[in-house]
Structure formats: structure tokens, C-alpha cells
């Protein structure tokens, strides 16, 4: 831990003032070094009050996803987040996770960035990830399963995000099958899972999660279908706190279900079930009603022709969600 991180840790521990002398003694550095590190923290957005003869007091923290800020919220001895790579800007946290994975980074490594310049959705689509307004992160997992057995991880991630959003904001976050988290009829989070594997072995699996937290508006093409936690609640949510919460939930789910299954909770959170849906298969448009989620995570659809089909991937439009008319 650097002197700056240690200083922040001491300031966080108490609401009382800490004198420069005490800080210098406890950190084992000079008064001048305490002052210098205090200025570094201020430059990062921390508000530190100083009062003559009393000392210093932390009165405000920035909405930062720095390692120190995430660690301050990550209590306990979980594996997810034991290694954190926090970057001001990156092409895509999934791409960085692959680079880290190829270089041997351990299971549970978290890559988080303030901004993504090439944020990705599925099938090469763009994920809008401006600086400061969302939580963009990826988790590097090394499960011991076959490549075809890992589909559950996207569903677990969606449940973990719903739990995290619900506990921090009280918003009724739900899931649009398979990988969107929605509030009401709008998308607040998308999940892109990628993997590196051989036929018989997964090198690593990467759920990449993007949650819109502070956006006050969206580009016109997204305005009708995207929302943020700020737009829903009028309040600012700490990205570091949300990240820590989602990691805790994801690790608990992973420990219980692995990556090949998922909890019953997914079904109850899924807004697609019970609604009219449409999809395209082999160039043909199919409409029907989603009736459930199969054991392997596929969406079960009763078509208008009375045939029951299982949809395991692809786009499924859901009546009313994102303003769709099916
Ligand atoms: C997704 O794809 O929803 C997966 C998004 C995953 C993003 C995370 S961020 C961390 C990690 N690093 C990455 O590079 N990616 C992951 P898909 O289901 O294909 O949806 C993409 C569509 O969502 C786009 O075509 C837009 O219509 C819409 N979209 C783009 N940006 C959005 C945003 N910020 N909020 C809501 N909708 C958005």
C-alpha cells in the first residue's frame, strides 16, 4: 500500500479530526509528505477539511472506480476482486481482461474503467460508455468446465446485477432474457460474456458488465430504450459501492451454481416470461408467448402455430420492452 492509500485508509476510519503529527507518526513519513499526499487525494476529488490545531477530516469521496475506492467497499476475503485493475480509460474492459488473461492473471481478477473508447455489445454492436457515468467492468474467471457448459454465467451475472441495484437503490431491476437488466421498460445494464477455450478446456471466461449509473441523458437513438440509475432515482449512486456489491453477489452465486446452472430467482426476475415475443429463425419471423426458461437457460416460446421451441441465443423482442410492438 502506498502512503497515499494508507493515508486515505486512516482518514476513512474516523469522523474525527486527525492531526498532521499523528498522521505523520502513524504513516511513518514526514509532515511534508503527509501534506503532499493530502494534496494528491484532493486532486483525485476527495474533500478533506483542515482545521487549525485540530487537523484533517475526510468529508467527501469522489465517485471513482480507483482500486482504493473499490477496496474500501469490498469487505471480507472474497476471491472476486482480490486483483483489481482500474484504468481511467480503456478500449474495452473485456479486451483488457483478455490481455490480462493471456498474461496469466488469476481467477477473480476484475478490470474496471472510468471510460471505454470501444465498449462492445454482442455481435460487434457498440456499447455507449462515456467517462464517469457508468460502471464498466469485466471479471476474469477460470472455471473447470467444458466450453459448452458455461452459458449460465451470463444469467448469474444478470441476477447479481439485479440484486446489487435493488439493494443500493431500491429500484425494481429485472431481466430481459438473456443479458439485459431493465428498470421498467428501459435498459440499465448489458452483459457480454466472452471466452477463450480449446475444445476440451476453458482458458478463461469473461462476463463483461455495463451499468448506466450517472447518465443524465442518452444519444437520440438510445433515448427511448436506455435509462440510468440517476434518471430512475434522482440520486447519485457510488460506482465503487455498486461494483463491490455486484462482485459479492456474483461470487456467492458462482460458489453455489458454478457456471453451468443458475438460480430459480432468474425465472422470477425475467420480464420476458409471460409476454408476447418475436424472433427470427432461419430467415422466418416467429411470434408467440415466452412461457419459461429451460434448465440450460434457453427461452421457451409457445409459437402462434402451437409449437413449443427453445431459443438458446439471439435477439428476442418482447412486447412493451424498449417500446417494441410485437
Ligand atoms: C449488450 O449487448 O447489452 C452487452 C453490453 C456489455 C457492455 C459491457 S461494459 C463492460 C464490458 N466491456 C465491453 O466492451 N462490453 C462489456 P447487446 O445485447 O448487443 O446490446 C447492445 C445494444 O444496446 C446497442 O446496439 C444499443 O442499442 C444499446 N446500447 C448501447 N449502449 C447502451 C447503453 N449505455 N445503455 C443502454 N443501451 C445501450
Amino acid at each position: 500500500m502506498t502512503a497515499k492509500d494508507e493515508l486515505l485508509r486512516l482518514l476513512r476510519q474516523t469522523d474525527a479530526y486527525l492531526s498532521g503529527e499523528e498522521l505523520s507518526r502513524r504513516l511513518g513519513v514526514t509532515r511534508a509528505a503527509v501534506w503532499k499526499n493530502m494534496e494528491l487525494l484532493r486532486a483525485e476529488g476527495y474533500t478533506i477539511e483542515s482545521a487549525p490545531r485540530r487537523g484533517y477530516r475526510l468529508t467527501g469521496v469522489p465517485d471513482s472506480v480507483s482500486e482504493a475506492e473499490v477496496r474500501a467497499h469490498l469487505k471480507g476475503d472474497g476471491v472476486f476482486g482480490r486483483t483489481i485493475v482500474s484504468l481511467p480509460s480503456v478500449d474495452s474492459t473485456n479486451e483488457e481482461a483478455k490481455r490480462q488473461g493471456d498474461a496469466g492473471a488469476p481467477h477473480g481478477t476484475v478490470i474496471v474503467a472510468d471510460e471505454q473508447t470501444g465498449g462492445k455489445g454482442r455481435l460487434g454492436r457498440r456499447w455507449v460508455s462515456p467517462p464517469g457515468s457508468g460502471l464498466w467492468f469485466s471479471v476474469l474467471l477460470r472455471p473447470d468446465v467444458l466450453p459448452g457448459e458455461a452459458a449460465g454465467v451470463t444469467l448469474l451475472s444478470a441476477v447479481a446485477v439485479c440484486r446489487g441495484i435493488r439493494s443500493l437503490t431500491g429500484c425494481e431491476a429485472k431481466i430481459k432474457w438473456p443479458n439485459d437488466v431493465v428498470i421498467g421498460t428501459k435498459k440499465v445494464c448489458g452483459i457480454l460474456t466472452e471466452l477463450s477455450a480449446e475444445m476440451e478446456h476453458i482458458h478463461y471466461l469473461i462476463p463483461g458488465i455495463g451499468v448506466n449509473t450517472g447518465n443524465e441523458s442518452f444519444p437520440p437513438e438510445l433515448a427511448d430504450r436506455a435509462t440510468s440509475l440517476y434518471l430512475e432515482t434522482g440520486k447519485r449512486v457510488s460506482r465503487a459501492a455498486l461494483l463491490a456489491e455486484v462482485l459479492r453477489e456474483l461470487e456467492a452465486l458462482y460458489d453455489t451454481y458454478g457456471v453451468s446452472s443458475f438460480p430459480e430467482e432468474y425465472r422470477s426476475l425475467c420480464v420476458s416470461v409471460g409476454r408476447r415475443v418475436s424472433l427470427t429463425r432461419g430467415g422466418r419471423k416467429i411470434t408467440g408467448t415466452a412461457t419459461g426458461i429451460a434448465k440450460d437457460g434457453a427461452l421457451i416460446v409457445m409459437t402462434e402455430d402451437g409449437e413449443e421451441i427453445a431459443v438458446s441465443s439471439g435477439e428476442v423482442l418482447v412486447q412493451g420492452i424498449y417500446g417494441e410492438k410485437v
Side-chain angles (χ1 to χ4, degrees):
M1 227 189 227
T2 64
K4 184 183 72 166
D5 291 343
E6 186 66 20
L7 172 62
L8 181 58
R9 200 179 62 77
L10 292 176
L11 289 169
R12 265 184 198 287
Q13 275 176 355
T14 173
D15 286 336
Y17 284 94
L18 290 168
S19 72
E21 191 185 327
E22 179 174 3
L23 287 169
S24 138
R25 186 173 47 74
R26 289 177 66 178
L27 293 172
V29 298
T30 61
R31 294 279 296 268
V34 169
W35 185 82
K36 200 187 90 195
N37 283 293
M38 204 75 79
E39 289 308 303
L40 289 175
L41 288 174
R42 284 184 170 135
E44 284 178 23
Y46 291 90
T47 318
I48 301 166
E49 239 178 58
S50 53
R53 285 187 302 282
R54 299 174 79 180
Y56 301 94
R57 199 162 72 107
L58 181 66
T59 54
V61 296
D63 178 26
S64 147
V65 288
S66 67
E67 181 178 352
E69 211 41 49
V70 178
R71 285 220 183 284
H73 292 276
L74 254 191
K75 301 191 177 82
D77 55 357
V79 174
F80 291 16
R82 203 169 275 175
T83 305
I84 297 173
V85 179
S86 174
L87 303 162
S89 178
V90 73
D91 49 354
S92 147
T93 57
N94 271 30
E95 289 304 314
E96 181 60 27
K98 287 185 211 166
R99 294 189 283 268
Q100 299 276 343
D102 290 336
H107 174 74
T109 296
V110 172
I111 319 294
V112 59
D114 189 53
E115 167 194 43
Q116 295 185 118
T117 53
K120 300 185 301 181
R122 295 176 301 162
L123 305 170
R125 289 189 280 240
R126 197 162 82 90
W127 181 257
V128 174
S129 339
S133 60
L135 174 59
W136 328 121
F137 73 103
S138 304
V139 187
L140 182 79
L141 303 175
R142 297 186 184 276
D144 191 11
V145 297
L146 296 174
E149 297 174 345
V153 76
T154 305
L155 310 190
L156 295 190
S157 304
V159 172
V161 170
C162 280
R163 288 185 183 174
I165 290 178
R166 282 167 178 249
S167 81
L168 260 69
T169 68
C171 284
E172 281 220 5
K174 295 204 165 175
I175 299 165
K176 174 182 173 286
W177 182 91
N179 68 321
D180 292 358
V181 175
V182 299
I183 298 178
T185 62
K186 293 181 171 179
K187 181 162 173 170
V188 72
C189 161
I191 301 167
L192 170 69
T193 301
E194 297 186 85
L195 59 75
S196 159
E198 292 165 28
M199 291 293 281
E200 305 263 307
H201 172 70
I202 289 186
H203 298 302
Y204 51 75
L205 183 64
I206 302 171
I209 299 174
V211 187
N212 301 320
T213 55
N215 316 56
E216 294 177 8
S217 63
F218 286 93
E221 70 278 14
L222 287 181
D224 292 342
R225 45 195 299 144
T227 191
S228 71
L229 297 178
Y230 176 71
L231 287 172
E232 293 298 323
T233 63
K235 293 192 189 120
R236 299 283 170 193
V237 176
S238 153
R239 291 179 295 168
L242 182 62
L243 174 55
E245 193 64 24
V246 174
L247 287 178
R248 225 183 338 263
E249 296 291 358
L250 185 58
E251 183 165 351
L253 288 162
Y254 180 87
D255 288 348
T256 310
Y257 298 95
V259 292
S260 312
S261 64
F262 57 92
E264 191 55 38
E265 191 181 342
Y266 184 92
R267 293 189 172 86
S268 56
L269 287 170
C270 185
V271 289
S272 312
V273 174
R275 293 204 193 213
R276 274 178 65 75
V277 296
S278 77
L279 57 131
T280 310
R281 249 196 186 183
R284 200 164 65 90
K285 184 177 171 192
I286 297 175
T287 46
T289 302
T291 55
I293 312 283
K295 256 182 120 174
D296 64 357
L299 186 70
I300 304 168
V301 176
M302 178 62 79
T303 71
E304 278 177 339
D305 305 338
E307 190 193 348
E308 190 174 86
I309 60 169
V311 185
S312 44
S313 63
E315 213 57 63
V316 174
L317 303 182
V318 179
Q319 178 77 28
I321 304 290
Y322 310 156
E324 301 290 354
K325 290 188 186 63
V326 173

